[in-house]
Amino acid sequence: MRPLEQLNDLSSHQKSPIINRKFPMHPYRTRTCGELRATDISRSARLAGWVYRKRDHGQLLFIDLRDHYGLTQVVIQPDREFFNLSKRLHLESVITVTGAVVARSPETVNPNLATGEIELVAEAIQVLSPCGSLPFPVDAMEDGPEDLRLRYRYLDLRRERLHGNIVQRARVIAFIRERMLSLGFQEFQTPILTSSSPEGARDYLVPSRVHPGKFYALPQAPQQFKQLLMVAGFDRYFQIAPCFRDEDARADRSPGEFYQLDLEMAFATQDDVFVVVEDVLASVFRTFSRKPFNAPPFPRIPYAEAMLKYGTDKPDLRIPIEMRDLTALFKESGFNAFRSVIEQGGIVRAIPVGKIAAQPRSFFDKLTDYAKGLGAKGLAYLVWTDAGVKGPIVKFLTPAQLEAIAMQCEVHASDVVFFVCDRPREVNRITADLRVKLAQDLKLIDEGIFRFCWVTDFPMFERDEETGQIIFSHNPFSMPQGGMQALEEQDPLAIRAYQYDIICNGVELSSGAIRNHDPEIMYRAFALAGYDQQAVDERFGGLINAFRLGAPPHGGIAPGIDRILMLLANEANIREVIAFPMNQKAQDLMMGAPAGVTEKQLRELHLKLALPPKPEDRRLTTDTRRQPGE
RNA sequence: GGGGGAGUAGCGCAAUUGGCUAGAGCAUCGGCUUGUCACGCCGAAGGUUGCGGGUUCGAGCCCCGUCUCUCCCGCCA
């Protein structure tokens, strides 16, 4: 939630621009609605804006006139010929008002308004654009239904919160550009129409008219281009880059397209990248948020440690819960339910939670149900009470084992330790969720702070659960730690990459890596993942060739702009920081995208449709799109 | 592709176990109101309870199907 003073302070958006005030008077406005102060009293002024609110006192009418810059109260006296017309003005009509800036009497000054010391007494009013009936109120604090908001996005964007978020976005991006330039980076543009990259997310494809049967792809990220710019010797690249991925949406993942602060550095180590990102993020968060955050350098957590302590590679460090592995202890215990799972490769993860021994039985029962809902077989726990250790599994453990658990989990009086036992992958998924759920239910998360961290040393490879094959676990272009020697001598699953994520409050802001710029190491890495040299050349020939012609070691990262803005604006949904977002099903309800095309267009592109045998989807046809005033 | 939640007037919401002629607020329209600032007062209009089917003497409520929005899983190098 934003503080109350911001909700009413429309003047915070921007300083008023300079408007030509010379004779003859500007036809629309001489000043903005956020500008007039006591020092302007007895001047004349012309304002233009939207009718935000009206207060009709019969023989006196107040209009709150709103523009991008603020709100000014306009007074309309009953003897003016436009008095009755003004009374009938619909909210959100656009008008120009000319009049005198007048001091408010002391008792009528509005201290909540930047322009609250004055008001404009109207001498002339011109209606520039009348407003029909609104699909939802513009002055309401509550949001309307999301599909209506998206359909009438331009109305929603007039509303204080969203308007402020988009202004904030513009400011943050401008700030980032300045900061990057001052750090010696240069901004580049890279192609939007490019080729499909076979790894990664689904591509958005654009058919070629000139080359029948061939397609461009929109870039999922300018990954190869920025690396090629390094090969070209530009040294430090950045771009506020649009990225296109045809994957399903989440609350923090915009479908279709999103923006990254994409950056890449030549002759850079992992530490060099971290220093830059820490500088940029810290300066952005210091400038655009009042919340405190941990100062750089941000803690670095190896991937393996993050999975163990938090069950996830994007830990929310605001949560004061760190998990422990107790597999060895339970392997020797009399608790057969766990022991048999361990013998089949399972592990035991303990979740110690402080000072909750007094929670009622229902708390534990509900949590157990929740865990089962996640796919857990159950939820074991031990409670350290004044009268000793209690809990459903206490009878399976010896006093020495209980003591060992207390030691390893650093248990104090009234603490509780939960246990989950399953295959490693399941344990991570379930305990990561439980840790967050516990923190939410017990209100352990401090909403007033940001906690940044790096997660480093990601594994280079992993085993595909279905096929059993070795696959790249993240970016195939990352440099394996230990280089060629590691690839040749180590167990592939033990090789780590110079691959890192930056996390804030459990939100993954970005992935990055030091790149593999050596063709021989690249071929070797791909070979381990089952691609022969020919396959690599076919897919990444351009990049590999470049690396044969003098490539500097380089690395980079690409923090998500939209997610940074979500954190700064304290918004739970990414659509609230994007001017024209698509809905969850990747539709633009305002413009009606995606849309059908004509037969002629298809013919020119050498395309024929082979539609699935489903009833026609009528959601986006024009006849269901309502227009204002209906 | 799968799971959860929601859908009642233009908007945000209410309607005890299935008993209802579906309500009040904001907006709209009409009237009153000279100092409000979410102005106030009086009145009016506004509904196929998303849609279709079923159970029942009776359905906003229960059941089945379907549509829309949303959250999550899968997916996101």
Side-chain angles (χ1 to χ4, degrees):
Chain A
M1 277 291 115
R2 288 164 147 257
L4 200 62
E5 72 266 22
Q6 280 193 7
L7 289 171
N8 284 320
D9 186 8
L10 292 150
S11 64
S12 68
H13 286 153
Q14 217 169 306
K15 279 186 86 162
S16 292
I18 294 168
I19 296 171
N20 180 10
R21 287 167 200 155
K22 288 183 192 148
F23 184 86
M25 210 180 221
H26 189 279
Y28 302 130
R29 62 181 182 188
T30 59
R31 310 294 291 270
T32 72
C33 295
E35 194 181 355
L36 296 171
R37 297 288 184 275
T39 50
D40 298 300
I41 286 162
S42 80
R43 291 193 179 135
S44 70
R46 179 172 281 174
L47 300 181
W50 287 259
V51 177
Y52 189 53
R53 291 195 185 101
K54 278 194 308 181
R55 290 175 296 281
D56 182 351
H57 290 254
Q59 295 304 300
L60 187 67
L61 176 66
F62 296 103
I63 290 176
D64 286 342
L65 196 65
R66 183 201 75 239
D67 67 10
H68 178 70
Y69 307 96
L71 204 64
T72 301
Q73 175 163 281
V74 174
V75 185
I76 295 156
Q77 302 285 6
D79 55 348
R80 309 301 157 115
E81 75 274 13
F82 51 82
F83 184 69
N84 284 326
L85 172 144
S86 304
K87 279 188 155 195
R88 289 195 305 272
L89 271 177
H90 281 193
L91 296 183
E92 293 304 311
S93 295
V94 178
I95 62 173
T96 279
V97 184
T98 313
V101 181
V102 170
R104 296 201 195 188
S105 61
E107 70 276 12
T108 62
V109 164
N110 185 346
N112 300 319
L113 213 55
T115 60
E117 286 183 296
I118 57 89
E119 57 197 8
L120 188 70
V121 177
E123 282 148 21
I125 283 188
Q126 189 189 358
V127 178
L128 300 177
S129 173
C131 179
S133 66
L134 293 161
F136 54 83
V138 170
D139 69 331
M141 290 297 167
E142 303 86 19
D143 294 333
E146 184 118 32
D147 48 338
L148 268 193
R149 294 179 62 203
L150 291 171
R151 199 183 297 278
Y152 299 98
R153 192 62 171 179
Y154 43 87
L155 281 185
D156 204 22
L157 286 166
R158 289 181 196 168
R159 298 173 60 230
E160 167 64 4
R161 181 169 123 229
L162 204 48
H163 202 89
N165 284 352
I166 301 304
V167 169
Q168 173 91 323
R169 184 185 181 105
R171 286 176 176 161
V172 168
I173 287 176
F175 180 93
I176 286 173
R177 280 211 163 88
E178 242 173 76
R179 196 81 191 182
M180 292 305 290
L181 291 171
S182 78
L183 289 168
F185 287 79
Q186 284 178 303
E187 187 167 10
F188 292 76
Q189 282 79 50
T190 51
I192 300 298
L193 290 174
T194 179
S195 63
S196 172
S197 83
E199 300 290 332
R202 274 186 291 273
D203 288 309
Y204 278 102
L205 297 176
V206 179
S208 165
R209 172 183 59 82
V210 182
H211 301 281
K214 297 200 169 167
F215 293 82
Y216 303 93
L218 307 185
Q220 296 180 21
Q223 181 65 38
Q224 294 190 55
F225 291 113
K226 71 174 177 177
Q227 292 192 241
L228 290 166
L229 286 167
M230 294 300 97
V231 177
F234 286 108
D235 206 64
R236 289 192 155 193
Y237 149 99
F238 89 99
Q239 180 175 199
I240 310 292
C243 303
F244 304 90
R245 294 178 195 175
D246 184 5
E247 296 296 347
D248 289 332
R250 288 289 181 277
D252 64 351
R253 197 203 296 161
S254 178
E257 55 187 83
F258 60 95
Y259 282 82
Q260 291 181 335
L261 165 58
D262 195 33
L263 67 94
E264 196 76 8
M265 303 158 66
F267 306 109
T269 64
Q270 182 169 292
D271 286 329
D272 296 330
V273 176
F274 285 11
V275 166
V276 166
V277 172
E278 285 172 350
D279 177 295
V280 172
L281 286 180
S283 60
V284 165
F285 276 72
R286 200 182 301 120
T287 307
F288 293 98
S289 177
R290 291 178 214 162
K291 291 187 190 177
F293 58 90
N294 56 310
F298 301 147
R300 302 176 186 189
I301 307 171
Y303 172 86
E305 183 185 330
M307 296 308 285
L308 174 65
K309 286 186 176 171
Y310 314 108
T312 174
D313 57 5
K314 43 182 179 175
D316 187 341
L317 293 188
R318 294 173 304 173
I319 301 173
I321 299 174
E322 285 188 7
M323 304 189 292
R324 300 280 191 277
D325 179 82
L326 289 184
T327 309
L329 190 146
F330 275 92
K331 195 174 179 182
E332 307 301 327
S333 79
F335 188 31
N336 292 329
F338 276 18
R339 217 176 55 195
S340 58
V341 175
I342 293 167
E343 280 159 8
Q344 288 163 37
I347 60 171
V348 178
R349 184 76 46 83
I351 315 173
V353 185
K355 308 291 170 214
I356 59 163
Q359 289 285 342
R361 176 63 189 261
S362 62
F363 172 84
F364 295 96
D365 289 345
K366 274 187 208 158
L367 199 68
T368 303
D369 287 345
Y370 181 81
K372 285 178 178 166
L374 295 172
K377 295 175 183 71
L379 184 62
Y381 56 91
L382 294 170
V383 184
W384 271 262
T385 71
D386 294 338
V389 187
K390 300 263 165 73
I393 64 165
V394 74
K395 57 179 173 282
F396 301 112
L397 297 161
T398 65
Q401 285 169 334
L402 290 173
E403 184 58 31
I405 292 171
M407 279 266 288
Q408 290 189 47
C409 295
E410 296 173 54
V411 169
H412 302 90
S414 333
D415 287 2
V416 172
V417 179
F418 298 91
F419 304 92
V420 174
C421 178
D422 211 317
R423 297 199 313 275
R425 195 186 168 94
E426 297 302 304
V427 163
N428 285 330
R429 184 178 61 78
I430 292 162
T431 57
D433 195 310
L434 280 177
R435 177 172 172 271
V436 174
K437 168 78 172 165
L438 276 162
Q440 284 168 347
D441 289 356
L442 297 166
K443 307 218 180 321
L444 301 178
I445 302 176
D446 183 350
E447 297 290 341
I449 58 169
F450 294 115
R451 289 289 303 274
F452 288 94
C453 68
W454 294 99
V455 174
T456 60
D457 304 326
F458 277 78
M460 185 82 193
F461 301 99
E462 62 189 31
R463 195 176 290 284
D464 188 310
E465 291 244 317
E466 285 172 22
T467 65
Q469 277 209 318
I470 301 275
I471 56 172
F472 287 110
S473 58
H474 283 81
N475 188 333
F477 302 129
S478 299
M479 182 66 95
Q481 295 185 19
M484 185 62 96
Q485 195 181 355
L487 293 177
E488 283 174 342
E489 294 174 7
Q490 287 187 35
D491 170 8
L493 295 175
I495 299 172
R496 291 169 301 171
Y498 287 112
Q499 166 94 35
Y500 35 83
D501 282 5
I502 178 110
I503 311 297
C504 180
N505 290 4
V507 175
E508 182 191 318
L509 290 181
S510 178
S511 275
I514 298 301
R515 319 299 172 187
N516 184 348
H517 67 280
D518 182 327
E520 297 314 313
I521 299 179
M522 187 98 76
Y523 286 129
R524 179 78 198 178
F526 272 96
L528 286 171
Y531 298 92
D532 61 23
Q533 182 160 340
Q534 191 188 342
V536 177
D537 286 340
E538 275 171 19
R539 290 157 195 242
F540 309 110
L543 197 62
I544 298 260
N545 277 339
F547 288 168
R548 287 205 182 89
L549 297 172
H554 60 284
I557 193 166
I561 297 279
D562 311 272
R563 284 188 182 169
I564 290 173
L565 288 163
M566 280 177 76
L567 288 172
L568 291 173
N570 199 27
E571 292 285 1
N573 195 292
I574 203 163
R575 290 184 293 274
E576 303 300 319
V577 298
I578 299 173
F580 298 106
M582 296 201 282
N583 70 4
Q584 199 187 30
K585 291 192 178 145
Q587 299 166 306
D588 180 337
L589 297 175
M590 187 175 59
M591 302 301 287
V597 296
T598 63
E599 273 300 323
K600 179 164 180 277
Q601 286 173 297
L602 287 176
R603 253 197 325 274
E604 283 182 337
L605 294 168
H606 324 288
L607 294 180
K608 267 195 188 126
L609 298 182
L611 299 174
K614 277 176 80 173
E616 192 192 346
D617 189 346
R618 295 185 310 277
R619 274 169 298 161
L620 285 170
T621 55
T622 43
D623 57 324
T624 61
R625 252 189 291 159
R626 284 191 292 173
Q627 295 300 317
E630 271 182 3

